[in-house]
Coordinates of all heavy atoms in Angstrom, one line a residue:
M1 N -85.0 83.7 2.7 CA -85.7 82.3 2.4 C -84.8 81.3 2.8 O -83.6 81.2 2.5 CB -85.8 82.4 0.7 CG -86.5 81.0 0.2 SD -87.2 81.2 -1.4 CE -88.5 82.4 -1.3
A2 N -85.6 80.3 3.2 CA -84.8 79.1 3.8 C -84.1 78.3 2.5 O -84.7 78.3 1.5 CB -85.8 78.1 4.4
L3 N -82.9 77.7 2.8 CA -82.1 77.2 1.8 C -82.0 75.6 1.9 O -82.0 75.2 3.1 CB -80.8 77.8 1.7 CG -80.6 79.4 1.5 CD1 -79.2 79.8 1.5 CD2 -81.4 79.8 0.2
F4 N -81.9 74.9 0.9 CA -81.6 73.5 0.9 C -80.7 73.2 -0.3 O -80.7 74.0 -1.3 CB -82.8 72.7 1.0 CG -83.7 72.8 0.0 CD1 -83.6 71.9 -1.2 CD2 -84.7 73.7 -0.1 CE1 -84.4 72.0 -2.3 CE2 -85.5 73.8 -1.3 CZ -85.3 72.9 -2.4
T5 N -80.1 72.1 -0.2 CA -79.3 71.6 -1.4 C -80.0 70.4 -2.0 O -80.9 69.9 -1.5 CB -77.8 71.2 -0.9 OG1 -77.9 70.0 -0.1 CG2 -77.1 72.3 -0.2
E6 N -79.5 70.0 -3.2 CA -80.1 68.8 -3.9 C -80.1 67.6 -2.9 O -81.0 66.8 -2.8 CB -79.3 68.6 -5.1 CG -80.0 67.6 -6.1 CD -81.4 68.1 -6.6 OE1 -81.5 69.3 -6.8 OE2 -82.2 67.3 -6.8
E7 N -78.9 67.5 -2.1 CA -78.7 66.5 -1.3 C -79.6 66.5 0.0 O -80.1 65.6 0.5 CB -77.2 66.4 -0.9 CG -76.9 65.1 0.1 CD -75.5 65.0 0.5 OE1 -74.7 66.0 0.2 OE2 -75.0 63.9 0.9
S8 N -79.7 67.7 0.4 CA -80.7 67.9 1.7 C -82.0 67.8 1.4 O -82.9 67.6 2.3 CB -80.3 69.2 2.5 OG -80.6 70.3 1.8
L9 N -82.4 68.0 0.1 CA -84.0 67.8 -0.3 C -84.5 66.5 0.1 O -85.7 66.4 0.4 CB -84.0 68.0 -1.7 CG -85.4 67.9 -2.4 CD1 -86.3 68.9 -1.9 CD2 -85.4 68.0 -3.9
Q10 N -83.6 65.5 0.2 CA -84.2 64.1 0.6 C -84.8 64.2 2.0 O -85.6 63.3 2.4 CB -83.1 63.0 0.4 CG -82.0 63.3 1.4 CD -81.0 62.3 1.2 OE1 -81.2 61.0 1.2 NE2 -79.7 62.6 1.1
Y11 N -84.5 65.2 2.8 CA -84.9 65.3 4.1 C -86.0 66.1 4.3 O -86.5 66.3 5.4 CB -83.7 65.7 5.1 CG -82.6 64.8 5.0 CD1 -81.3 65.1 4.4 CD2 -82.6 63.5 5.5 CE1 -80.2 64.4 4.4 CE2 -81.5 62.7 5.4 CZ -80.2 63.1 4.8 OH -79.1 62.2 4.6
L12 N -86.5 66.7 3.3 CA -87.8 67.6 3.3 C -88.9 66.7 2.6 O -88.7 66.0 1.8 CB -87.5 68.8 2.5 CG -86.4 69.7 3.1 CD1 -86.2 70.8 2.1 CD2 -86.6 70.1 4.4
E13 N -90.1 66.8 3.2 CA -91.3 66.2 2.7 C -92.4 67.1 2.6 O -92.8 67.8 3.5 CB -91.6 64.9 3.5 CG -92.8 64.3 3.0 CD -93.2 63.1 3.9 OE1 -92.4 62.7 4.9 OE2 -94.2 62.5 3.6
K14 N -93.0 67.3 1.5 CA -94.2 68.1 1.3 C -95.5 67.6 2.1 O -95.6 66.3 2.0 CB -94.5 68.3 -0.1 CG -95.7 69.4 -0.3 CD -95.8 69.6 -1.8 CE -97.1 70.7 -2.1 NZ -97.4 70.8 -3.4
T15 N -96.0 68.4 2.8 CA -97.2 67.9 3.6 C -98.5 68.6 3.2 O -98.4 69.8 2.7 CB -97.0 68.0 5.0 OG1 -98.0 67.5 5.9 CG2 -96.9 69.5 5.5
T16 N -99.7 67.9 3.4 CA -100.8 68.6 3.0 C -101.5 68.6 4.3 O -101.9 67.7 5.1 CB -101.7 67.8 2.1 OG1 -100.9 67.8 0.8 CG2 -103.0 68.4 1.8
P17 N -101.7 69.8 4.9 CA -102.3 69.9 6.3 C -103.8 69.4 6.3 O -104.4 69.6 5.3 CB -102.5 71.4 6.6 CG -101.3 72.0 5.7 CD -101.3 71.0 4.5
T18 N -104.1 68.6 7.4 CA -105.4 68.0 7.5 C -106.1 69.0 8.3 O -105.8 70.0 8.8 CB -105.4 66.8 8.3 OG1 -104.9 67.0 9.6 CG2 -104.5 65.7 7.6
L19 N -107.5 68.9 8.4 CA -108.3 69.8 9.2 C -107.7 70.0 10.5 O -107.6 71.0 11.1 CB -109.8 69.3 9.2 CG -110.5 69.7 8.0 CD1 -112.0 69.1 8.2 CD2 -110.7 71.1 7.8
L20 N -107.4 68.8 11.1 CA -106.9 68.8 12.5 C -105.6 69.5 12.6 O -105.1 70.0 13.6 CB -106.9 67.5 13.1 CG -108.3 66.9 13.5 CD1 -108.1 65.5 14.1 CD2 -108.9 67.9 14.6
G21 N -104.6 69.3 11.6 CA -103.2 69.6 11.6 C -102.9 71.0 10.9 O -101.8 71.3 10.6
S22 N -104.0 71.6 10.5 CA -103.8 72.9 9.6 C -103.3 74.0 10.5 O -102.8 75.1 10.0 CB -105.0 73.1 8.7 OG -106.1 73.5 9.5
A23 N -103.8 74.0 11.7 CA -103.7 75.2 12.6 C -102.3 75.9 12.6 O -102.2 77.1 12.4 CB -104.0 75.0 14.1
P24 N -101.2 75.2 12.8 CA -100.0 75.9 12.8 C -99.5 76.4 11.5 O -98.8 77.5 11.3 CB -98.8 74.8 13.3 CG -99.6 73.6 13.4 CD -101.1 73.7 13.2
W25 N -100.2 75.8 10.4 CA -99.7 76.2 9.1 C -100.4 77.5 8.7 O -99.9 78.2 7.8 CB -99.9 75.2 8.1 CG -99.0 73.9 8.3 CD1 -99.2 72.7 8.8 CD2 -97.5 74.0 7.9 NE1 -98.1 71.9 8.8 CE2 -97.1 72.6 8.2 CE3 -96.8 74.8 7.4 CZ2 -95.8 72.2 8.0 CZ3 -95.4 74.4 7.0 CH2 -95.1 73.2 7.4
N26 N -101.7 77.6 9.2 CA -102.6 78.7 8.5 C -102.7 79.7 9.7 O -103.6 80.6 9.6 CB -103.9 78.1 8.2 CG -103.8 76.9 7.1 OD1 -103.0 77.1 6.2 ND2 -104.6 76.1 7.1
S27 N -101.8 79.9 10.6 CA -101.9 80.9 11.7 C -100.7 81.8 11.6 O -99.6 81.4 11.1 CB -102.0 80.1 13.1 OG -103.1 79.3 13.1
L28 N -100.9 82.8 12.2 CA -99.8 84.0 12.3 C -99.7 84.1 13.9 O -100.7 84.2 14.6 CB -100.2 85.2 11.7 CG -100.4 85.2 10.2 CD1 -100.8 86.6 9.8 CD2 -99.1 84.9 9.5
F29 N -98.4 84.2 14.3 CA -98.2 84.3 15.7 C -97.5 85.5 16.0 O -96.6 86.0 15.3 CB -97.3 83.1 16.2 CG -97.9 81.7 15.8 CD1 -97.7 81.1 14.6 CD2 -98.9 81.2 16.6 CE1 -98.2 79.8 14.3 CE2 -99.6 79.9 16.3 CZ -99.1 79.4 15.1
G30 N -97.9 86.2 17.0 CA -97.3 87.5 17.5 C -96.1 87.3 18.5 O -95.9 86.2 19.0
P31 N -95.5 88.4 18.8 CA -94.3 88.5 19.7 C -94.7 87.9 21.1 O -95.8 88.2 21.5 CB -93.9 89.8 19.8 CG -94.4 90.5 18.5 CD -95.6 89.7 18.3
G32 N -93.9 86.9 21.5 CA -94.2 86.4 22.9 C -95.3 85.3 22.9 O -95.3 84.6 24.0
E33 N -95.9 85.0 21.9 CA -96.8 83.9 21.9 C -96.0 82.5 22.0 O -94.9 82.4 21.5 CB -97.6 83.8 20.6 CG -98.9 84.8 20.6 CD -99.7 84.6 19.4 OE1 -100.2 83.4 19.2 OE2 -100.0 85.5 18.8
K34 N -96.7 81.6 22.5 CA -96.1 80.2 22.7 C -96.1 79.5 21.4 O -97.1 79.5 20.6 CB -96.9 79.4 23.7 CG -96.3 78.0 24.1 CD -97.1 77.4 25.2 CE -96.5 76.1 25.6 NZ -97.3 75.3 26.6
V35 N -94.8 78.9 21.0 CA -94.7 78.2 19.8 C -95.3 76.8 19.9 O -95.1 75.9 21.0 CB -93.2 78.0 19.6 CG1 -92.8 77.1 18.4 CG2 -92.3 79.4 19.6
L36 N -96.1 76.5 18.9 CA -96.9 75.3 19.0 C -96.1 74.1 18.3 O -96.3 72.9 18.8 CB -98.3 75.4 18.2 CG -99.3 76.5 18.7 CD1 -100.5 76.5 17.8 CD2 -99.6 76.1 20.1
V37 N -95.4 74.3 17.4 CA -94.6 73.2 16.8 C -93.2 73.9 16.4 O -93.0 75.1 16.0 CB -95.3 72.8 15.4 CG1 -96.6 72.1 15.7 CG2 -95.3 73.8 14.4
S38 N -92.1 73.0 16.6 CA -90.8 73.5 16.3 C -90.5 73.7 14.8 O -91.2 72.9 14.0 CB -89.8 72.5 16.8 OG -89.9 72.2 18.2
G39 N -89.8 74.7 14.3 CA -89.6 74.8 12.9 C -89.0 76.2 12.6 O -88.6 76.9 13.5
I40 N -89.1 76.4 11.3 CA -88.7 77.8 10.7 C -89.8 78.6 10.5 O -90.9 78.2 9.9 CB -87.8 77.5 9.6 CG1 -86.6 76.5 9.6 CG2 -87.4 78.9 8.9 CD1 -85.9 76.1 8.4
Y41 N -89.7 79.8 11.2 CA -90.9 80.7 10.9 C -90.3 81.9 10.2 O -89.2 82.4 10.2 CB -91.4 81.1 12.2 CG -92.2 80.1 13.1 CD1 -91.5 79.1 13.7 CD2 -93.5 80.0 13.0 CE1 -92.2 78.0 14.4 CE2 -94.2 79.0 13.7 CZ -93.5 78.1 14.3 OH -94.2 77.1 14.9
R42 N -91.2 82.6 9.3 CA -91.0 83.8 8.6 C -91.8 85.0 9.1 O -93.0 84.8 9.4 CB -91.2 83.5 7.0 CG -91.0 84.7 6.2 CD -91.3 84.3 4.7 NE -90.9 85.3 3.8 CZ -91.7 86.3 3.6 NH1 -92.8 86.5 4.1 NH2 -91.2 87.2 2.8
C43 N -91.1 86.0 9.3 CA -91.8 87.2 9.6 C -92.6 87.7 8.4 O -92.1 88.0 7.4 CB -90.9 88.3 10.1 SG -91.8 89.9 10.5
E44 N -93.9 88.0 8.6 CA -94.7 88.5 7.5 C -94.3 89.9 7.1 O -94.7 90.4 6.0 CB -96.3 88.5 8.0 CG -96.7 87.1 7.8 CD -97.1 86.6 6.6 OE1 -98.0 87.0 6.0 OE2 -96.4 85.5 6.2
G45 N -93.9 90.7 8.1 CA -93.6 92.1 7.8 C -92.2 92.3 7.0 O -92.3 93.2 6.2
C46 N -91.2 91.6 7.3 CA -89.9 91.9 6.8 C -89.2 90.7 6.0 O -88.2 90.9 5.4 CB -88.9 92.5 7.7 SG -88.4 91.3 9.0
G47 N -89.8 89.6 6.2 CA -89.2 88.3 5.5 C -88.2 87.7 6.4 O -87.6 86.7 5.9
D48 N -87.8 88.2 7.5 CA -86.7 87.6 8.4 C -87.2 86.2 8.8 O -88.4 86.0 8.9 CB -86.5 88.4 9.5 CG -85.2 88.1 10.2 OD1 -84.4 87.4 9.7 OD2 -85.0 88.5 11.4
E49 N -86.4 85.3 8.9 CA -86.7 83.9 9.3 C -85.9 83.6 10.7 O -84.8 84.1 10.9 CB -86.2 83.0 8.3 CG -86.8 83.1 7.0 CD -86.2 82.2 5.9 OE1 -85.2 81.5 6.1 OE2 -86.7 82.4 4.7
I50 N -86.6 82.8 11.5 CA -86.1 82.4 12.7 C -86.4 80.9 12.9 O -87.3 80.3 12.3 CB -86.7 83.2 14.0 CG1 -88.3 82.9 14.1 CG2 -86.3 84.5 13.9 CD1 -88.9 83.5 15.4
T51 N -85.7 80.2 13.8 CA -86.1 78.8 14.2 C -86.6 79.0 15.7 O -86.0 79.7 16.4 CB -84.8 77.9 14.1 OG1 -83.8 78.5 14.9 CG2 -84.3 77.7 12.7
S52 N -87.6 78.3 15.9 CA -88.3 78.3 17.2 C -88.6 76.9 17.6 O -89.0 76.1 16.9 CB -89.5 79.2 17.3 OG -89.2 80.6 17.1
N53 N -88.4 76.6 19.0 CA -88.7 75.3 19.5 C -90.1 75.3 20.2 O -90.5 76.3 20.9 CB -87.7 74.9 20.5 CG -86.3 74.8 19.9 OD1 -86.2 74.2 18.8 ND2 -85.3 75.2 20.5
K54 N -90.8 74.2 20.1 CA -92.2 74.1 20.7 C -92.0 74.3 22.2 O -91.0 73.9 22.9 CB -92.5 72.6 20.5 CG -93.8 72.2 21.1 CD -94.3 70.7 20.8 CE -95.6 70.5 21.5 NZ -95.9 69.0 21.3
G55 N -93.0 75.1 22.6 CA -92.9 75.5 23.9 C -92.3 76.8 24.3 O -92.5 77.3 25.5
D56 N -91.4 77.3 23.5 CA -90.8 78.4 23.8 C -91.6 79.6 23.3 O -92.5 79.4 22.6 CB -89.3 78.5 23.0 CG -88.3 77.6 23.6 OD1 -88.5 77.1 24.8 OD2 -87.3 77.4 23.0
P57 N -91.4 80.8 23.8 CA -92.1 82.0 23.3 C -91.4 82.5 22.0 O -90.2 82.5 21.8 CB -91.9 83.1 24.4 CG -90.7 82.7 25.1 CD -90.6 81.1 24.9
F58 N -92.3 82.9 21.1 CA -91.6 83.8 19.9 C -90.9 85.1 20.4 O -91.1 85.5 21.6 CB -92.7 84.2 19.0 CG -93.3 83.1 18.1 CD1 -94.4 82.5 18.5 CD2 -92.5 82.6 17.1 CE1 -94.9 81.5 17.7 CE2 -93.0 81.6 16.2 CZ -94.2 80.9 16.6
P59 N -90.0 85.5 19.7 CA -89.2 86.8 20.3 C -90.1 87.8 20.6 O -91.1 88.1 19.9 CB -88.3 87.2 19.0 CG -88.3 85.9 18.1 CD -89.5 85.1 18.4
P60 N -89.8 88.5 21.8 CA -90.6 89.7 22.2 C -90.6 90.9 21.1 O -89.6 90.9 20.3 CB -90.0 90.1 23.5 CG -88.7 89.4 23.6 CD -88.7 88.3 22.6
Q61 N -91.5 91.8 21.2 CA -91.5 92.9 20.2 C -90.2 93.7 20.2 O -89.8 94.2 19.1 CB -92.6 93.8 20.6 CG -92.8 95.0 19.6 CD -93.6 94.5 18.4 OE1 -94.6 93.8 18.4 NE2 -93.1 95.0 17.2
N62 N -89.4 93.8 21.4 CA -88.3 94.6 21.5 C -87.1 94.0 20.8 O -86.1 94.5 20.8 CB -88.2 95.2 22.8 CG -87.8 94.2 23.8 OD1 -88.0 92.9 23.5 ND2 -87.5 94.4 25.1
T63 N -87.2 92.6 20.6 CA -86.1 91.8 20.2 C -86.0 91.8 18.7 O -85.0 92.0 18.1 CB -86.1 90.4 20.7 OG1 -86.1 90.3 22.0 CG2 -84.8 89.7 20.1
H64 N -87.0 91.6 18.1 CA -87.2 91.5 16.5 C -87.6 92.9 16.1 O -88.7 93.2 16.3 CB -88.1 90.4 16.1 CG -88.3 90.4 14.6 ND1 -87.4 90.0 13.7 CD2 -89.3 90.9 13.8 CE1 -87.7 90.1 12.5 NE2 -88.8 90.7 12.5
Q65 N -86.8 93.5 15.3 CA -87.1 94.8 14.6 C -87.2 94.6 13.2 O -86.3 94.0 12.6 CB -86.1 95.8 15.0 CG -85.8 96.0 16.5 CD -86.9 96.7 17.3 OE1 -87.6 97.6 16.7 NE2 -87.0 96.6 18.5
H66 N -88.1 95.2 12.4 CA -88.2 95.2 11.0 C -87.2 96.1 10.5 O -87.4 97.4 10.6 CB -89.5 95.5 10.5 CG -90.6 94.7 10.9 ND1 -90.8 93.4 10.6 CD2 -91.8 95.0 11.4 CE1 -91.8 92.9 11.1 NE2 -92.5 93.8 11.6
P67 N -86.1 95.7 9.8 CA -85.2 96.7 9.3 C -85.8 97.4 8.1 O -86.2 96.8 7.1 CB -84.0 95.7 8.8 CG -84.5 94.3 8.8 CD -85.7 94.3 9.7
G68 N -85.9 98.6 8.3 CA -86.4 99.5 7.2 C -88.0 99.4 7.1 O -88.5 100.0 6.1
V69 N -88.6 98.7 7.7 CA -90.2 98.5 7.7 C -90.7 98.9 9.1 O -90.7 98.1 10.0 CB -90.6 97.0 7.3 CG1 -92.0 96.9 7.1 CG2 -89.8 96.6 6.0
F70 N -91.3 100.1 9.1 CA -91.7 100.7 10.5 C -93.1 100.5 10.8 O -93.5 100.6 11.8 CB -91.2 102.0 10.6 CG -89.7 102.3 10.3 CD1 -89.2 102.8 9.2 CD2 -88.8 101.8 11.4 CE1 -87.8 103.0 9.0 CE2 -87.5 102.0 11.1 CZ -87.0 102.6 10.0
D71 N -93.9 100.3 9.8 CA -95.4 100.3 10.0 C -96.2 99.0 9.8 O -97.3 98.9 9.9 CB -96.1 101.3 9.0 CG -95.8 101.0 7.6 OD1 -95.0 100.1 7.3 OD2 -96.4 101.6 6.8
S72 N -95.4 97.9 10.0 CA -96.0 96.6 9.9 C -95.8 95.9 11.2 O -94.8 96.0 11.9 CB -95.5 95.8 8.7 OG -94.1 95.7 8.8
K73 N -96.8 95.1 11.6 CA -96.7 94.2 12.7 C -95.8 93.0 12.6 O -95.5 92.6 11.5 CB -98.1 93.7 13.1 CG -99.1 94.8 13.5 CD -100.3 94.3 14.4 CE -100.9 93.2 13.7 NZ -102.1 92.8 14.2
V74 N -95.2 92.6 13.7 CA -94.4 91.4 13.6 C -95.3 90.2 13.8 O -96.1 90.1 14.7 CB -93.4 91.3 14.8 CG1 -92.7 89.9 14.8 CG2 -92.4 92.4 14.7
Q75 N -95.4 89.4 12.8 CA -96.3 88.2 12.7 C -95.6 87.1 12.1 O -95.0 87.1 11.0 CB -97.6 88.4 12.0 CG -98.5 89.4 12.5 CD -99.9 89.6 11.9 OE1 -99.8 89.8 10.7 NE2 -100.9 89.4 12.6
W76 N -95.5 85.9 12.9 CA -94.6 84.8 12.5 C -95.5 83.8 11.7 O -96.5 83.4 12.2 CB -93.9 84.2 13.5 CG -92.9 85.1 14.2 CD1 -93.1 85.8 15.4 CD2 -91.7 85.6 13.8 NE1 -92.0 86.6 15.7 CE2 -91.1 86.5 14.7 CE3 -90.9 85.4 12.6 CZ2 -90.0 87.2 14.5 CZ3 -89.8 86.0 12.3 CH2 -89.2 86.8 13.4
R77 N -95.1 83.3 10.6 CA -95.6 82.3 9.8 C -94.7 81.0 9.7 O -93.7 81.0 9.4 CB -96.1 82.6 8.4 CG -96.8 81.5 7.6 CD -97.1 82.1 6.1 NE -98.0 83.1 6.2 CZ -99.3 83.0 6.3 NH1 -99.9 81.9 6.3 NH2 -100.1 84.1 6.1
L78 N -95.3 79.8 10.1 CA -94.6 78.6 9.9 C -94.3 78.2 8.5 O -95.3 78.3 7.7 CB -95.4 77.4 10.6 CG -94.7 76.0 10.5 CD1 -93.4 76.0 11.3 CD2 -95.7 75.0 11.0
I79 N -93.1 78.1 8.1 CA -92.7 77.7 6.7 C -92.1 76.3 6.6 O -92.2 75.6 5.6 CB -91.9 78.7 5.9 CG1 -90.5 78.9 6.7 CG2 -92.5 80.0 5.8 CD1 -89.6 79.8 5.9
V80 N -91.4 75.8 7.7 CA -90.9 74.5 7.8 C -91.0 73.9 9.1 O -90.6 74.5 10.1 CB -89.4 74.5 7.3 CG1 -88.9 73.0 7.4 CG2 -89.1 75.0 5.9
E81 N -91.7 72.8 9.2 CA -91.8 72.1 10.5 C -90.8 71.1 10.7 O -90.6 70.2 9.7 CB -93.2 71.5 10.6 CG -93.5 70.7 12.0 CD -94.9 69.9 12.0 OE1 -95.6 70.2 11.0 OE2 -95.1 69.2 12.9
T82 N -90.1 71.1 11.8 CA -89.1 70.3 12.0 C -89.6 69.0 12.8 O -90.6 69.2 13.7 CB -87.9 70.8 12.8 OG1 -88.3 71.5 14.0 CG2 -87.2 71.7 12.0
Q83 N -89.2 67.8 12.6 CA -89.5 66.5 13.2 C -88.7 66.2 14.4 O -87.5 65.7 14.2 CB -89.7 65.4 12.4 CG -90.7 65.7 11.1 CD -92.0 65.6 11.4 OE1 -92.6 64.6 11.8 NE2 -92.7 66.8 11.4
T84 N -88.9 66.8 15.7 CA -88.1 66.7 16.7 C -88.7 65.7 17.7 O -89.7 65.7 18.1 CB -87.9 68.0 17.4 OG1 -87.5 69.1 16.6 CG2 -86.9 68.0 18.6
K85 N -87.8 64.7 17.9 CA -88.1 63.6 18.9 C -88.0 64.1 20.5 O -87.0 64.9 20.7 CB -87.3 62.3 18.6 CG -87.5 61.8 17.4 CD -86.6 60.5 17.2 CE -86.8 59.9 15.9 NZ -85.9 58.9 15.5
G86 N -88.9 63.8 21.3 CA -88.9 64.1 22.6 C -89.5 65.3 22.9 O -90.0 65.9 22.2
Ligands
ZN1 ZN1 -89.9 91.3 10.7

């Protein structure tokens, strides 16, 4: 689970996805798919978290392994979107 402190909480803002902006929040992304928004992603299968940058591919299937979970697919869900300039 992503961590923050009382002090770093000031840099987090709760968002309510709009119809146009809900896609990255309500989608699951597979290995090698292109990252739509930079941020922290959580694997639905094992709970592992990664940071991924917009435009990069998600880790390929052979890179991310579920420790102890063999029968679930790797699917990444956006949990924190970073606001990256440029
Ligand atoms: Zn996993």
Side-chain angles (χ1 to χ4, degrees):
M1 180 164 292
L3 305 176
F4 61 91
T5 65
E6 192 65 35
E7 186 177 13
S8 67
L9 177 60
Q10 66 183 306
Y11 303 113
L12 299 174
E13 181 181 350
K14 185 176 179 182
T15 185
T16 303
T18 62
L19 276 179
L20 288 176
S22 66
W25 292 101
N26 298 326
S27 299
L28 295 173
F29 303 95
E33 276 191 53
K34 188 175 178 181
V35 176
L36 299 178
V37 298
S38 299
I40 302 173
Y41 289 80
R42 180 181 185 277
C43 176
E44 290 282 291
C46 68
D48 194 17
E49 296 170 359
I50 59 168
T51 56
S52 290
N53 293 318
K54 181 180 179 180
D56 288 349
F58 284 100
Q61 183 78 46
N62 62 354
T63 298
H64 175 72
Q65 307 284 336
H66 298 302
V69 184
F70 301 107
D71 58 349
S72 58
K73 291 197 309 184
V74 174
Q75 292 185 305
W76 299 105
R77 178 186 294 279
L78 179 65
I79 60 171
V80 176
E81 179 181 356
T82 53
Q83 302 286 295
T84 308
K85 295 178 182 170

